[in-house]
Amino acid sequence: KSSTNIKTEDKNLSSKKMTESYKEYVNATCLFLNKETKTLISSATEGSLQSNLSVLAIINRVKSFMKTSITYNENPGSISEDEDFAQWFFEDKKTGYDVQYAAAAVMMFRYYGIPSRYVEGYLVTPEDIKDKNPGDTIEVPGKNGHAWTEIYMDGLGWVPVEMTPEYYNVMEEAD
């Protein structure tokens, strides 16, 4: 058997390189928007792209857009295979539920230069675990299926951000 001796400094350097490599990967894959989508978002937001905004200001701007410009509807209709989602959501329908809100928010965060991704999973609320003890099993019904957006922040990693107005204040959000 062969063994490898790695000095502590090398491990730290390797970790730093891995972090930088991951950041490069995130920026290469989680910022992409095609030109047509950028134009649609610019039109929908009335060209409100400002480079001097903080991440919190951008989160609030996207939330405000979703709350005031889009109608929550659990039956928004379907999008045809040849139709562009951004066109359908930002210009044509302007309606949807968590899936559409999360997907559109990903596009908007990317428009503002914040790496983002779409996530699906189950929402377990404080109400779902009320009267439960550590180690208890809970049943999570299918109706708890949910979609949300995550943004990438240096030094923190992926941070969930709720963009569907119907779900605001259901869970505590990160500061």
Side-chain angles (χ1 to χ4, degrees):
K1 290 185 176 180
S2 64
S3 63
T4 305
N5 294 322
I6 301 174
K7 297 179 183 176
T8 305
E9 304 86 49
D10 294 336
K11 285 183 183 178
N12 291 338
L13 182 59
S14 178
S15 177
K16 184 176 179 181
K17 281 184 181 179
M18 287 176 58
T19 300
E20 287 301 316
S21 292
Y22 186 70
K23 183 178 173 184
E24 287 174 21
Y25 166 78
V26 166
N27 287 334
T29 60
C30 299
L31 281 171
F32 175 78
L33 269 185
N34 65 39
K35 184 179 178 182
E36 294 80 14
T37 302
K38 287 179 186 177
T39 301
L40 283 167
I41 294 172
S42 178
S43 176
T45 61
E46 299 172 0
S48 63
L49 181 60
Q50 296 174 355
S51 61
N52 61 340
L53 295 175
S54 69
V55 172
L56 183 58
I58 293 169
I59 290 169
N60 288 333
R61 182 169 283 194
V62 174
K63 275 187 168 186
S64 176
F65 175 84
M66 294 296 184
K67 192 170 187 173
T68 61
S69 302
I70 308 300
T71 303
Y72 183 83
N73 179 352
E74 292 186 4
N75 298 299
S78 59
I79 181 171
S80 65
E81 285 185 30
D82 62 333
E83 196 170 6
D84 178 67
F85 172 78
Q87 171 80 37
W88 181 87
F89 187 81
F90 289 109
E91 285 193 348
D92 299 341
K93 287 286 189 172
K94 296 184 181 179
T95 188
Y97 58 103
D98 59 338
V99 171
Q100 289 83 16
Y101 278 86
V106 165
M107 294 176 197
M108 292 184 76
F109 283 117
R110 290 178 178 190
Y111 173 78
Y112 284 107
I114 298 174
S116 56
R117 65 185 182 186
Y118 172 89
V119 182
E120 288 184 353
Y122 290 92
L123 178 64
V124 179
T125 68
E127 185 66 28
D128 294 324
I129 59 172
K130 184 178 74 175
D131 302 325
K132 298 292 181 183
N133 295 311
D136 284 355
T137 300
I138 63 167
E139 288 188 35
V140 181
K143 70 179 181 67
N144 284 35
H146 187 52
W148 62 92
T149 304
E150 290 182 348
I151 60 173
Y152 185 80
M153 298 182 68
D154 289 338
L156 291 176
W158 291 104
V159 178
V161 185
E162 183 58 66
M163 290 291 121
T164 307
E166 296 294 312
Y167 288 86
Y168 293 170
N169 303 318
V170 172
M171 297 294 292
E172 288 185 36
E173 291 199 40
D175 292 332

